[in-house]
Amino acid sequence: MTQSHHPYEALTPDVVIDCVESTGLISDARIFPLNSYENRVYQVGIEGAEPLIAKFYRPGRWSDEQIQEEHRFTLELAEAEIPVVAPMQFDGHTLLESAGFRFALFPRRGGRQLELDNFDHLEQVGTMLGRIHAVGGAKPFIHRPTLTLKHFAIDSREFILDGDFLPRENREAYASVTGHIIEQVAPLFERDWDLLRLHGDCHSGNFLWRDETPWFVDLDDCLMGPAIQDIWMLISGNRAEQTAYLDAVLEGYETFYSFDPQQLQLVEPLRCLRQMHHAAWLARRWQDPAFPQAFPWFNTPRYWAEHILALREQQSALLEPPLTLGAV
């Protein structure tokens, strides 16, 4: 039997350097892999200049048009003086190709992690999100995806059930809880929410705190969706804590963009979708050698038992009244 190889196996350090030098830059041959799994990302030293960040896109995930639309949106935000790390341009192009890989180069930006329990930080993040959404609401994406129940929940559930990931003893419980969750949240996702261009994956790992400003990085998951998608991951804890964090974010946000409080009904459903989508993401990427190394706990009986328990707890959260605005 012929052993299959993952495309990233061909992305050796020499290939990374050759790709970077195909732009006309000269590397000093110092290369350092950064923490990324969906794509491959490296810090690459450049002779006589600051190191750059080279991002190699996962083959087969996005079309050229989708990546270019992500880049155009990021550049649009940078032109509006919003602190985002935008791709570099070479002869007017940001999406580059060499040795069979599509890649982009970015300036290196240092910084520390955002403190999600710091209300000043949250207010400033909210201010920047309001500015991003003001730009994002000006026109739609044409090629990027839209946040839908089908993509994030229904397709994720079907992928898990159609594969051989679930232990036999967990299969019925997984099918039951995910089926009930989809049934519970479906009416909300059938509503006609205002959609706009979003960052799409606004968790603390996608911010850098630099010069007393939150810098947004990695718009790889940008999509069309309701504004709350870029807000709910910033709030956590018990109900009182979530309300306080939400108020801090919206204090800055509404300086630049109006928030529809009806979207607070989507917070717990979106948590459900993220949990289901994350499990399916790991399963879809399991043939990538980096994933079993980075996530050795995945696809074990204990993992599935804990995942099902977390989904049941989240299902209970769907029965609670949605958050309401406090001081804002």
Side-chain angles (χ1 to χ4, degrees):
M1 182 180 293
T2 303
Q3 185 178 6
S4 61
H5 295 281
H6 194 274
Y8 277 138
E9 291 181 15
L11 190 61
T12 64
D14 286 344
V15 170
V16 170
I17 291 173
D18 287 345
C19 288
V20 171
E21 292 190 337
S22 71
T23 66
L25 298 170
I26 303 298
S27 171
D28 61 11
R30 291 182 294 175
I31 179 172
F32 181 73
L34 301 179
N35 187 25
S36 177
Y37 303 107
E38 184 64 10
N39 304 294
R40 294 295 189 268
V41 182
Y42 303 88
Q43 178 178 295
V44 180
I46 302 297
E47 284 192 2
E50 287 290 314
L52 299 178
I53 304 302
K55 175 181 179 180
F56 290 82
Y57 288 91
R58 176 173 291 273
R61 185 184 182 215
W62 298 126
S63 67
D64 287 356
E65 292 81 7
Q66 288 172 321
I67 297 173
Q68 289 164 347
E69 195 165 47
E70 170 210 334
H71 289 181
R72 287 195 296 271
F73 182 43
T74 309
L75 290 168
E76 192 177 344
L77 296 175
E79 289 169 3
E81 299 184 344
I82 296 170
V84 295
V85 181
M88 301 170 62
Q89 300 188 57
F90 295 86
D91 295 327
H93 299 285
T94 55
L95 179 60
L96 312 170
E97 186 168 355
S98 182
F101 289 98
R102 294 174 302 167
F103 68 100
L105 300 181
F106 298 80
R108 184 182 66 169
R109 291 283 184 266
R112 66 182 192 274
Q113 189 169 6
L114 178 73
E115 299 172 16
L116 287 182
D117 57 352
N118 184 314
F119 289 99
D120 289 336
H121 284 197
L122 286 174
E123 183 177 341
Q124 290 191 58
V125 169
T127 298
M128 296 305 170
L129 275 177
R131 294 178 63 194
I132 288 174
H133 288 183
V135 173
K139 59 184 179 182
F141 281 136
I142 302 302
H143 303 288
R144 300 294 302 186
T146 297
L147 194 163
T148 63
L149 180 66
K150 182 180 188 306
H151 175 67
F152 281 85
I154 297 173
D155 289 353
S156 296
R157 178 178 187 266
E158 290 179 355
F159 186 84
I160 295 297
L161 291 174
D162 289 345
D164 58 356
F165 301 98
L166 282 164
R168 182 177 299 177
E169 63 270 22
N170 297 124
R171 185 176 180 84
E172 182 177 350
Y174 175 85
S176 175
V177 69
T178 53
H180 285 134
I181 285 173
I182 290 170
E183 183 179 353
Q184 284 177 256
V185 305
L188 279 172
F189 286 93
E190 292 168 358
R191 291 180 55 176
D192 188 21
W193 300 104
D194 287 335
L195 305 182
L196 61 153
R197 293 177 294 170
L198 304 172
H199 180 288
D201 195 25
C202 263
H203 60 77
S204 61
N206 279 337
F207 295 97
L208 289 174
W209 191 258
R210 175 187 172 91
D211 300 328
E212 300 305 311
T213 300
W215 283 75
F216 290 73
V217 299
D218 193 7
L219 273 76
D220 196 62
D221 290 297
C222 65
L223 44 61
M224 294 292 295
I228 191 64
Q229 170 65 10
D230 275 353
I231 295 173
W232 75 263
M233 277 180 267
L234 301 172
I235 59 179
S236 61
N238 59 39
R239 188 178 183 86
E241 291 169 333
Q242 289 187 51
T243 300
Y245 294 154
L246 176 65
D247 288 348
V249 172
L250 293 182
E251 182 73 27
Y253 183 91
E254 294 210 301
T255 305
F256 291 93
Y257 203 72
S258 178
F259 176 73
D260 175 10
Q262 290 296 314
Q263 291 191 17
L264 294 175
Q265 299 174 73
L266 291 170
V267 170
E268 298 306 330
L270 287 171
R271 290 191 204 277
C272 292
L273 267 60
R274 187 171 180 83
Q275 288 177 345
M276 293 175 64
H277 185 260
H278 185 261
W281 173 68
L282 291 173
R284 287 187 173 101
R285 299 292 182 255
W286 203 237
Q287 298 306 311
D288 182 336
F291 276 69
Q293 294 179 20
F295 309 100
W297 36 261
F298 175 71
N299 210 26
T300 62
R302 179 175 178 179
Y303 167 81
W304 288 111
E306 291 178 350
H307 179 57
I308 291 167
L309 177 60
L311 288 173
R312 284 175 173 158
E313 292 173 347
Q314 191 57 38
Q315 186 182 14
S316 297
L318 293 174
L319 302 176
E320 297 294 325
L323 291 174
T324 56
L325 300 183
V328 175

